[in-house]
Amino acid sequence: MFAIIIGLSIGVGLPIQTAINSRLRTLLASPLLSSMISFTIGAAFLLIVSWLVSGTIGINLSLAANQPFWIWTGGIFGVIFLTGNILLFPKLGSVQTVIMPIVGQIIMSMLIDNFGWFFSPKHTLGFLRVVGALLLLAGVFLAVAARDLLASRKATDLQQDRLPSSERLLRWLWRVSGIVIGMFSATQTAINGHLGIILHSPIKSALVSFVVGTVVLWLLVLIVEHGYHLSAAGHKKAPWWIWIGGLIGALFVLGNAYLVPLIGTGLTVVVVLLGQIAGSMLVDQFGWFGAKKNPVDLAQIAGIVLMIAGVALIKLF
């Protein structure tokens, strides 16, 4: 139960981080630059935590001498997930950009658990766990997409009728790409969990992931943005909390690395997902951190109930 509370808590923090980083992105006019700042602050925070807890910020590489190379790739998968969502948004819109990666996360986490990939604890994918996953997907649909999809269904149908077959095929390719991107996210969770076991420290695992991701993002910004244009970030009207997104992200990665060895990749992903949906509803309901207010409706509440039922089946069976 303590592990589930941690998972829910870090899940709630993720949409808060998104709202904060969205404000920072508005100031900088660059999603990559805002993500780079967020990752850099998160990495610095984890360096401090590692020093306070263990008295060192170094990694004992001998512990990983006989391990496969992929234990160091969690941060790269995190950057792929981040960049993938940036690319998906203008192609699919906000609703499908949320839904497609979630589907991929659930599919991949169940596969990882069933086969024990990335040295994750095995949890056989029985009938009731499949039912639980389906309930969870139905709940995600109601909580995130039902209202917007129903409201825009007629307009979407009219647009689809006008699209040539090549454009329809391209949109489906983007949807499939969204699912694959979500699978990368679940893979990152499993990798970081195993790295935490190897290093005997989920803190060091999260630190490695953030440092790798930070280096990759600094290189991407240099290539794509042709330099580091940070002057707008010091705008005097910017609220102080635009700088804490990286701290929340660091706690999110750290929490995942801690949870995977305890409860498995599948349950970690679905519990954190439940927290994410609940947190996004809170942000929408109250308009926290400058987000636009979108009051919660009955469909979303029904979605939460379905997700709880799905998580219960997956946990118990």
Side-chain angles (χ1 to χ4, degrees):
M1 184 58 67
F2 178 68
I4 290 177
I5 292 173
I6 292 177
L8 290 172
S9 299
I10 62 175
V12 168
L14 197 61
I16 293 175
Q17 181 201 25
T18 300
I20 292 171
N21 285 346
S22 294
R23 181 66 178 272
L24 181 60
R25 181 172 64 241
T26 300
L27 288 175
L28 298 174
S30 169
L32 280 178
L33 196 57
S34 63
S35 297
M36 184 196 77
I37 291 175
S38 183
F39 261 73
T40 303
I41 292 174
F45 170 73
L46 287 170
L47 281 169
I48 295 171
V49 171
S50 177
W51 181 74
L52 291 175
V53 172
S54 63
T56 177
I57 60 174
I59 304 295
N60 187 353
L61 296 178
S62 64
L63 294 174
N66 298 318
Q67 296 294 324
F69 75 94
W70 50 255
I71 63 172
W72 308 108
T73 61
I76 297 175
F77 284 117
V79 172
I80 292 173
F81 179 69
L82 170 70
T83 307
N85 277 291
I86 294 172
L87 295 173
L88 284 176
F89 188 84
K91 302 295 182 180
L92 297 179
S94 60
V95 173
Q96 293 186 61
T97 299
V98 170
I99 287 297
M100 295 299 117
I102 284 176
V103 172
Q105 289 175 31
I106 294 172
I107 292 172
M108 190 62 178
S109 65
M110 295 296 103
L111 290 173
I112 289 172
D113 266 9
N114 187 66
F115 296 106
W117 291 341
F118 307 109
F119 300 112
S120 294
K122 279 190 176 184
H123 297 281
T124 303
L125 190 61
F127 174 75
L128 289 178
R129 295 194 79 208
V130 172
V131 172
L134 292 175
L135 285 176
L136 188 66
L137 285 171
V140 168
F141 175 82
L142 285 175
V144 177
R147 178 176 56 186
D148 293 335
L149 288 180
L150 289 174
S152 61
R153 182 177 179 181
K154 291 183 179 179
T156 301
D157 288 343
L158 289 174
Q159 290 175 359
Q160 290 288 347
D161 289 340
R162 298 191 186 104
L163 288 176
S165 57
S166 60
E167 288 293 326
R168 295 180 191 177
L169 176 60
L170 187 60
R171 285 180 66 86
W172 274 108
L173 289 176
W174 279 110
R175 290 175 181 131
V176 172
S177 298
I179 294 174
V180 173
I181 288 167
M183 295 174 79
F184 278 125
S185 177
T187 301
Q188 179 196 22
T189 299
I191 289 172
N192 288 344
H194 181 61
L195 182 59
I197 294 174
I198 294 171
L199 300 178
H200 308 300
S201 171
I203 296 174
K204 294 295 178 76
S205 171
L207 176 59
V208 169
S209 182
F210 254 77
V211 168
V212 171
T214 298
V215 171
V216 170
L217 277 168
W218 275 78
L219 291 174
L220 280 175
V221 169
L222 180 62
I223 294 169
V224 176
E225 304 287 345
H226 307 293
Y228 308 106
H229 312 291
L230 302 173
S231 58
H235 196 286
K236 62 181 181 180
K237 293 184 180 180
W240 63 269
W241 44 258
I242 65 170
W243 307 107
I244 66 172
L247 304 182
I248 298 174
L251 292 172
F252 178 82
V253 175
L254 176 59
N256 275 287
Y258 172 76
L259 291 176
V260 167
L262 293 180
I263 60 177
T265 300
L267 187 56
T268 296
V269 169
V270 295
V271 171
V272 171
L273 173 61
L274 180 59
Q276 287 177 15
I277 301 300
S280 66
M281 288 184 180
L282 290 172
V283 171
D284 277 359
Q285 178 70 26
F286 300 106
W288 288 346
F289 301 104
K292 182 180 178 181
K293 283 188 177 182
N294 290 304
V296 177
D297 58 20
L298 290 177
Q300 291 173 315
I301 295 173
I304 287 288
V305 172
L306 279 178
M307 284 190 288
I308 292 173
V311 169
L313 283 176
I314 294 170
K315 171 62 177 175
L316 294 176
F317 300 99

